[in-house]
Amino acid sequence: YEGSPEKAIRTVVDWARGKKVRLIVSLHPFDPPQARQQLRDLYPDVLVYEGESPPLLAVSDLVLCQHSTVAIEALAFNTPVAEIDLSGTGVLESKSDEGVAYKITKVSQIDDILSGEMTLDAELLHSWCNKNLGPRDGMATERAVHEIEALV
């Protein structure tokens, strides 16, 4: 997070209180282990996740991030992505600037996304995913086998 990660996490945790949501925080793998423990101590109701992200992304309703490959992975799973920029510092390589992620400048926008009030251009999103991620039709293995057989 280009702004204050502590502020962003605190703001999202405060937003989640009393709502029917499960907030899971996954820090960057390079973050020190004590940062994870500090989050657990500060926010005991928040799950601080340390595993691989794809299983979580596949079952999430929304992924909040900023400048992370997690955004690309979430898009590959058709999981909506929102880039959080509460400090107004901008997002490096922003997916919201490309129209395929939501831009969160105030935490109340999360409600708008989850309720369906705020939407993305589905055609643009589909086109971007096809161009940048390739087909997501469950046929990757068959395509790989075909390419390997063509080489043999």
Side-chain angles (χ1 to χ4, degrees):
Y1 179 67
E2 303 295 337
S4 166
E6 294 83 11
K7 175 186 174 187
I9 291 171
R10 182 178 59 249
T11 302
V12 173
V13 168
D14 288 345
W15 165 85
R17 282 201 178 98
K19 296 185 185 296
K20 293 184 179 185
V21 298
R22 178 66 164 141
L23 189 59
I24 302 170
V25 174
S26 178
L27 297 177
H28 191 279
F30 292 152
D31 284 325
Q34 57 267 32
R36 290 169 182 74
Q37 189 55 52
Q38 183 181 17
L39 280 176
R40 287 185 187 96
D41 294 343
L42 286 171
Y43 308 111
D45 294 338
V46 174
L47 172 62
V48 179
Y49 186 74
E50 295 188 50
E52 292 292 320
S53 57
L56 278 181
L57 299 174
V59 298
S60 294
D61 293 318
L62 179 64
V63 172
L64 297 174
C65 66
Q66 198 215 37
H67 184 62
S68 174
T69 54
V70 166
I72 306 299
E73 293 171 347
L75 291 169
F77 283 107
N78 290 320
T79 302
V81 172
E83 294 175 334
I84 193 161
D85 185 18
L86 301 176
S87 303
T89 56
V91 176
L92 184 63
E93 296 182 24
S94 171
K95 297 302 161 222
S96 64
D97 288 350
E98 295 181 53
V100 297
Y102 298 95
K103 183 174 186 170
I104 301 289
T105 57
K106 53 187 179 185
V107 75
S108 62
Q109 290 171 301
I110 299 170
D111 291 311
D112 297 338
I113 295 166
L114 293 173
S115 71
E117 263 183 68
M118 190 182 245
T119 61
L120 296 172
D121 181 330
E123 189 174 312
L124 175 67
L125 180 59
H126 180 75
S127 174
W128 185 95
C129 286
N130 281 340
K131 176 182 176 191
N132 293 281
L133 303 173
R136 295 170 300 145
D137 56 6
M139 303 298 291
T141 301
E142 286 79 359
R143 282 191 294 277
V145 168
H146 176 73
E147 292 298 320
I148 291 168
E149 287 175 342
L151 294 173
V152 178

